[in-house]
């Protein structure tokens, strides 16, 4: 894997060239809401090289979901699919798009979250602009009683921005619908989920759909399942009888990604009651998330925030009220640590504000409200390394309270801040893996996972190697093809690939090991109970001198016993951590630089120290981007994203990396799985914002509650504070 | 040429220009009018598109010469990937922003998506595929593996080529020089710390 990636040999879906392949492009709506009065494709059809064009007039009834067909005579957002062209080359398909004439009748639309909430706003859905016409509400204890008991009540409102996944490999696939078999080379986070949803949407048996993917050029939540482009590519392949390649361009990726697209914009109000000593008595939380135009399941991502309000701190009386708000945009989707990231950006700044109010160290206030048992389930944790994260993280950082605005050098101010990391890992679904031991003593792991960049194939090889006690390089992992792998994971989301697939691999390897011990017992002429595998050698327990080598045993097994299918199950776990950062704010320009960061993460047992560090560093930087500059900027007049490119939408570059980033693994012994690992992909992103915002406050003595904390917001805040 | 054809051609080139600015730009012009007034076509003549002229081109890539006939409008990144099947050069934006398509041209790291293939004839073009021979890796490639200096791997060839352009000229770079050299290469997985470590480690071995 590693070799492929550094030599340029790695084949991603974007690189796939199939014999006879045609190229497709999609014509998208320039309007945020419109009726299509007419489409004329006659000029485009005459362009040499054009093979087929689909519009609502000729595309038949192929549905996208229950609500809508793939091609319709109306559009609800800028970027909605209007027509698709397939041609001999991508450039010709692009030329043809320019020749399609569409007559629209523009209708009223609403883009801004606050505007959509006004009573006179255009209604995006017949029932109004609150998804399903009601909020989702969670309540425990007695919120009024909690506030009555409170001696101090603090209330603040925070907003978070629309972060985009902005993965480097653009979204798309190559679809080949030949005879009754559909094969798709897809840039996906999970071949099995993509396959199942393609079968469902196209009304095909699952056995007739195959999804292949060797490597994925980034996903971060945006490449789970299928999008409209998958269905369009399949339709065009069926239409032409040829393989069809359909990849979005960069601005399409930013604007629609073929919905869902991005992390939602949120407005969160946190009102909390405390005793004088800082003990929580009540939290009342209200969140509004900007959603999209369609009444679809993805709207839930707009009202997903709040889990950390309910689960992170001990508080008997909690209410969370969440509204997903329709606007004429694409729906939000899962983006690295969905829900918790938005929540923690707000909650961890709120806790810092409360600590200032109580004149307490922020860690002390958090420890005061530490949850000994899970606040939702009232059950003990499988493991909880939060206290250790605070302790080891603050020691490594050299944490010592400093007065806001006290560290100055000319126009520059320095500040420190910390924040808690919280995420829940594995969902308890069954996972399957296959471990095959070959007579030559090598091992093959068969796992239905995708390589999205977290090093999962390497980690699974390590787990099998450890269980079977063979050298790592004797293990090969086969993955990335729905036709050749069991259902290990439907898709890599929720920081659960290691904690879900790992146990299944370990159980399959243990099963194989048990069968090898049987063979070894025959070789050694002892009972199987008397044999153990140690350092790659089968040893007789009663007579340790009687041994058989690994290869000696595998060489005896022939071809009959070589496949082992085992089903393992995971459980829900909680992942904790603490981030400590130091920032420098230039009061002349408003620019913020993160100088150093200490990132302590309790993820159970880190299977691979190197990839673990990569995940924590990378996740933190993605959170740093969201805290300081990342934001989809949508023009409310037109519904057009004005920064739909990497120049306008700024991702962290090499120059934004703090001079010092220290990753501290907090090794807890998590008993929820047989590998003791909890997952680490998402939590580092969630923990970045609060710590950085708190450090900015500590540097300049002014709070900025509206992310991203851009230079202009810093300057405005300084000016307002005088 | 009838005036209809003239109009058709004019319209395409204007749209083709807008296209390069993404759907956003096209949209902002359309929305102002409310109802789009684009006329429906009457002409039966196939429309003409600019940039469709095919020309012979000779490229020198990784020391090997390739003779091709291609459309003048095609970028070097596109030709490397689809004509020469050198897909190690990645495309992450196709508009000169992300650096995934970085190749070395006459010693300089350049974005190959911004160059027309017809304009780089006679120049020495190095791609990621030229770095290893017979299974022997370039020290940069080994160092990237050793330090886990990639995650998804999409930006990796570009990062390595940008770093190679630096090390070819500067055998002993500082951390700041390494950061500057790869600052035009976005890594969304943000493997930056490990990339810096890998480049500095490779420099020691060169």
């Amino acid at each position: 894997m590693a070799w492929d990636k550094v030599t340029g040999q790695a084949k991603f879906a974007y690189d796939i060239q199939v014999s006879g392949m045609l190229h497709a492009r999609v014509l998208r709506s320039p309007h945020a809401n419109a009726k299509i009065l007419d489409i004329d494709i006659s000029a485009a059809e005459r362009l040499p090289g054009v093979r087929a064009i689909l519009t609502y007039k000729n595309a038949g009834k192929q549905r996208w979901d229950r609500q809508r067909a793939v091609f319709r005579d109306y559009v609800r957002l800028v970027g909605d699919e209007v027509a698709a062209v397939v041609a001999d080359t991508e450039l010709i398909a692009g030329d043809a798009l320019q020749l399609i004439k569409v007559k629209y009748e523009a209708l009223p639309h609403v883009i801004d979250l606050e505007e959509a909430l006004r009573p006179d706003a255009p209604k995006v859905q017949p029932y109004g602009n609150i998804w399903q016409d009601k909020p989702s509400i969670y309540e425990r204890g007695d919120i009024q009683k909690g506030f009555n008991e409170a001696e101090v009540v603090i209330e603040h409102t925070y907003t978070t921005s629309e972060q985009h996944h902005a993965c480097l490999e653009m979204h798309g696939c190559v679809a080949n619908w030949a005879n009754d078999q559909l094969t798709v080379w897809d840039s996906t986070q999970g071949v099995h989920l993509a396959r199942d949803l393609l079968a469902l949407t196209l009304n095909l048996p699952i056995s007739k759909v195959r999804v292949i993917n060797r490597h994925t050029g980034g996903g971060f939540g945006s490449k789970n399942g299928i999008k409209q482009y998958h269905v369009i590519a399949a339709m065009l392949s069926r239409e032409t009888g040829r393989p069809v390649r359909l990849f979005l361009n960069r601005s399409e990726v930013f604007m629609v990604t073929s919905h869902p697209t991005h992390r939602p914009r949120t407005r969160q109000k946190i009102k909390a009651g405390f005793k004088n000593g800082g003990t929580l008595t009540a939290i009342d939380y209200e969140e509004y998330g900007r959603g999209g135009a369609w009444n679809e399941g993805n709207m839930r991502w707009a009202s997903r925030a709040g889990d950390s309000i309910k689960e992170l701190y001990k508080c008997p009386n909690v209410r969370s009220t969440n509204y997903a708000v329709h606007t004429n945009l694409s729906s939000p989707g899962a983006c690295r640590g969905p829900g918790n990231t938005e929540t923690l950006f707000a909650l961890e700044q709120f806790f810092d504000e409360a600590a200032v109010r109580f004149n307490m160290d922020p860690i002390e206030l958090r420890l005061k409200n530490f949850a000994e048992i899970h606040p939702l389930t009232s059950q003990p944790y499988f493991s909880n390394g939060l206290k250790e994260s605070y302790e080891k993280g603050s020691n490594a950082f050299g944490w010592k309270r400093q007065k806001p605005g006290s560290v100055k050098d000319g126009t520059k101010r320095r500040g420190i801040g910390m924040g808690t990391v919280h995420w829940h890992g594995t969902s308890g679904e069954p996972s399957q893996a296959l471990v095959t031991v070959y007579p030559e003593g090598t091992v093959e792991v068969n796992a239905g996972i995708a390589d999205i960049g977290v090093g999962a194939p390497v980690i699974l090889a390590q787990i099998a190697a450890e269980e079977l006690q063979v050298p790592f390089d004797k293990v090969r992992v086969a993955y990335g093809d729905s036709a050749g792998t069991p259902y290990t994971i439907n898709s890599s989301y929720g920081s659960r690939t290691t904690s879900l697939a790992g146990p299944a691999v370990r159980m399959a390897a243990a099963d194989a090991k048990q069968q090898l011990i049987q063979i070894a017992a025959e070789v050694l002429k002892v009972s199987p109970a008397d044999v153990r595998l140690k350092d790659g050698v089968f040893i007789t327990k009663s007579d340790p001198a009687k041994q058989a080598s690994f290869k000696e045993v595998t060489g005896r097994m022939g071809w009959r016993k070589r496949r082992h299918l085992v089903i393992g199950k995971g459980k829900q776990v909680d992942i904790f951590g603490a981030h400590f950062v130091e920032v420098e704010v230039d009061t002349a320009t408003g620019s913020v630089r993160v100088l150093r960061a200490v990132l302590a993460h309790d993820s159970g047992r880190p299977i691979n120290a190197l990839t673990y560090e990569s995940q924590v560093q990378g996740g933190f930087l993605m959170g740093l981007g969201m805290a300081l500059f990342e934001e989809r900027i949508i023009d409310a007049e037109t519904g057009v994203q004005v920064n739909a490119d990497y120049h306008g939408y700024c991702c962290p570059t090499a120059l934004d990396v703090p001079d010092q980033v220290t990753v501290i693994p907090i090794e807890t012994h998590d008993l929820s799985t047989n590998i003791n690992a909890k997952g680490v992909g998402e939590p580092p992103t969630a923990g970045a914002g609060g710590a950085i915002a708190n450090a900015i406050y500590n540097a300049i003595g002014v709070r900025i509650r509206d992310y991203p904390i851009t230079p202009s917001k810093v300057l405005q805040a300084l000016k307002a504070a005088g | 040429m009838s005036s209809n054809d003239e109009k058709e051609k004019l319209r395409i080139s204007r749209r083709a220009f807008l296209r390069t600015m993404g759907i956003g730009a096209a949209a902002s012009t359309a929305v102002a009018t409310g109802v789009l007034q684009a006329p429906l076509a009457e002409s039966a003549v196939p429309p003409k598109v600019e940039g469709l002229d095919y020309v012979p081109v000779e490229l020198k890539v990784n020391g090997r010469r390739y003779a091709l006939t291609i459309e003048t409008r095609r970028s070097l990144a596109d030709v490397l990937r689809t004509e020469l099947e050198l897909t190690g050069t990645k495309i992450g934006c196709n508009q000169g922003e992300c650096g995934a398509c970085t190749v070395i041209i006459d010693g300089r790291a350049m974005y190959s998506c911004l160059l027309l293939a017809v304009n780089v004839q006679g120049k020495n073009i190095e791609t990621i595929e030229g770095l290893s021979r017979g299974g022997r890796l370039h020290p940069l490639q080994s160092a990237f593996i050793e330090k886990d200096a990639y995650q998804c791997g999409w930006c990796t060839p570009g990062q390595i080529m940008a770093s190679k352009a630096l090390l070819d000229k500067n055998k002993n770079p500082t951390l700041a020089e390494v950061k500057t050299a790869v600052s035009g290469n976005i890594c969304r997985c943000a493997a930056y710390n490990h990339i810096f470590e890998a480049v500095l480690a490779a420099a020691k071995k060169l």
Side-chain angles (χ1 to χ4, degrees), chain A residues 278 313 348-370 390 394 399-402 416-420 579-580 690-691 694-695 697-698 703:
Chain A
Y313 297 112
E348 286 308 287
Q349 197 177 170
F350 180 85
F351 251 70
D352 204 65
E353 303 203 48
V356 172
R357 169 71 180 71
F358 291 113
N359 192 23
M360 276 171 91
D361 184 277
I363 300 173
E364 194 191 337
L365 181 66
R366 284 167 174 85
L367 286 173
K368 193 135 214 169
N369 294 288
F370 179 78
Y390 289 144
S394 59
W399 179 261
K400 212 176 137 205
R401 283 177 79 190
Q402 73 186 33
I416 56 170
M418 60 81 56
T420 309
H579 284 186
F580 298 83
N694 296 339
Y697 166 75
N698 188 247
R703 283 281 166 195

Side-chain angles (χ1 to χ4, degrees), chain B residues 63-158:
Chain B
R64 184 182 287 268
R65 284 181 189 284
Y66 296 88
L68 310 156
T69 303
I70 55 166
E71 286 170 68
T72 49
R73 62 174 171 173
R74 291 182 69 184
S75 73
L76 175 61
D78 177 21
V79 170
L80 286 172
R81 291 175 48 82
T82 54
E83 300 298 325
L84 309 188
E85 298 193 25
L86 296 171
T87 55
T89 298
K90 301 300 182 195
I91 291 177
C93 67
N94 218 8
Q95 48 198 20
E97 299 167 348
C98 76
C101 66
T102 303
V103 298
I104 299 177
I105 297 180
D106 287 346
R108 280 183 65 198
M110 297 186 87
Y111 291 172
S112 60
C113 75
L114 283 189
L115 298 164
L116 290 174
V118 291
N119 286 350
V120 289
Q121 299 184 77
K123 295 180 192 292
N124 266 320
I125 302 164
E126 292 174 67
T127 74
I128 187 74
E129 287 89 350
L131 258 63
S132 54
R133 275 284 149 83
R136 288 185 309 278
L137 296 181
H138 186 278
L140 267 168
Q141 293 172 310
S142 315
F144 265 63
I145 294 178
E146 228 164 85
K147 301 287 181 189
D148 197 39
Y150 52 82
Q151 288 177 37
C152 81
W154 193 260
C155 74
T156 311

Side-chain angles (χ1 to χ4, degrees), chain A residues 283-360:
Chain A
I283 310 178
D284 193 8
Y285 173 77
E286 187 184 63
E287 182 248 354
Y288 289 86
R290 177 154 77 174
W294 301 101
N295 175 13
E296 59 185 340
N298 282 314
M299 280 295 287
R300 74 186 186 280
W301 299 110
S303 51
R304 179 75 169 67
D307 284 354
S308 296
I309 299 280
K310 305 168 203 165
E311 297 172 26
L312 177 52
Y313 297 112
K314 183 174 152 186
C315 182
N317 309 301
V318 177
R319 180 168 65 191
S320 172
T321 312
N322 296 56
Y323 298 87
V325 183
H326 284 296
T327 63
N328 289 96
L329 290 169
S330 59
S331 274
C335 183
R336 203 169 193 169
N340 284 41
T341 300
E342 297 89 290
T343 316
L344 288 175
F345 270 49
L347 178 64
E348 286 308 287
Q349 197 177 170
F350 180 85
F351 251 70
D352 204 65
E353 303 203 48
V356 172
R357 169 71 180 71
F358 291 113
N359 192 23
M360 276 171 91

Side-chain angles (χ1 to χ4, degrees), chain A residues 2-3 5-6 11 14-15 17 40 46 95 101 104 164-165 250 453 613-615 618 630 645-646 652, chain B residues 11 15 19 31 34-35 39 41 43-44 73 81 87 90 92 97 135 141 148 150-152 188-189 192 194:
Chain A
W3 180 283
K5 287 183 179 175
V6 301
K11 288 281 180 199
Y14 194 88
D15 301 326
Q17 294 194 48
D40 179 2
R46 289 196 310 275
D95 296 335
K101 298 170 182 99
Y104 297 96
H164 196 279
H165 312 78
R250 182 46 65 188
E613 189 177 88
S614 294
Q615 283 304 303
E630 289 185 36
D645 54 61
Y646 282 125
Chain B
R11 207 175 67 79
R15 284 294 177 91
R19 189 184 63 222
V31 169
V35 176
S43 163
R73 62 174 171 173
R81 291 175 48 82
T87 55
K90 301 300 182 195
E97 299 167 348
Q141 293 172 310
D148 197 39
Y150 52 82
Q151 288 177 37
C152 81
R188 187 52 165 161
C189 304
Y192 295 118
H194 287 178

Side-chain angles (χ1 to χ4, degrees), chain A residues 50-194:
Chain A
V50 171
R51 300 289 183 129
I53 300 174
L54 293 179
T55 71
Y56 74 92
K57 288 183 176 178
N58 65 1
K61 293 197 172 16
Q62 175 63 52
R63 311 290 299 173
W64 165 244
D65 59 14
R66 265 177 298 177
Q67 194 187 167
R68 61 197 198 267
V70 174
F71 294 101
R72 307 159 305 273
D73 62 353
Y74 59 95
V75 291
R76 288 289 174 264
L77 52 106
V78 173
D80 241 351
E81 291 79 4
V82 171
V85 176
V86 64
D88 291 346
T89 71
E90 199 176 343
L91 290 170
I92 294 173
D95 296 335
L97 293 187
Q98 313 303 322
L99 295 168
I100 297 174
K101 298 170 182 99
V102 188
K103 209 168 163 184
Y104 297 96
E105 182 190 336
L107 301 169
H109 63 261
V110 61
I111 301 297
D112 186 74
L113 174 64
E114 305 304 333
E115 266 177 41
L117 290 167
R118 287 195 193 127
D120 59 341
K123 278 188 179 180
V124 181
Q125 284 288 334
Y127 52 77
N129 291 344
I130 301 290
W131 184 43
Q132 295 177 339
D133 207 21
K134 58 177 193 299
S136 61
I137 297 171
Y138 165 87
E139 212 166 348
R140 78 164 172 258
D142 182 338
I143 193 82
Q144 203 44 57
K145 185 171 151 271
F147 279 111
N148 290 343
E149 288 168 5
E151 288 161 331
V152 176
V153 175
I154 302 174
E155 180 183 319
H156 291 295
T157 298
Y158 305 85
T159 52
T160 63
S161 68
E162 272 180 13
Q163 182 177 42
H164 196 279
H165 312 78
C167 22
L168 262 276
E169 184 189 15
M170 293 176 278
H171 295 63
C173 64
V174 177
N176 188 17
W177 197 332
N179 295 322
D180 60 348
Q181 171 84 39
L182 173 65
T183 305
V184 178
W185 290 265
D186 188 19
S187 181
T188 182
Q189 290 178 232
V191 288
H192 288 275
L193 183 62

Side-chain angles (χ1 to χ4, degrees), chain A residues 546-586:
Chain A
K546 268 171 90 175
Q547 298 185 347
S549 73
F550 195 81
K551 217 171 155 183
E552 209 176 322
V553 171
T554 58
R556 287 290 194 93
M557 70 188 189
W559 298 99
R560 51 193 173 93
K561 288 182 180 178
R562 60 189 186 92
R563 301 217 140 198
H564 310 277
L565 176 64
V566 171
I567 299 177
K569 278 190 177 178
K571 293 168 189 161
Q572 180 153 335
V573 292
D574 289 80
I575 300 168
F576 297 101
H579 284 186
F580 298 83
V581 300
E582 180 170 17
V583 301
E584 184 176 82
V585 183
D586 189 331

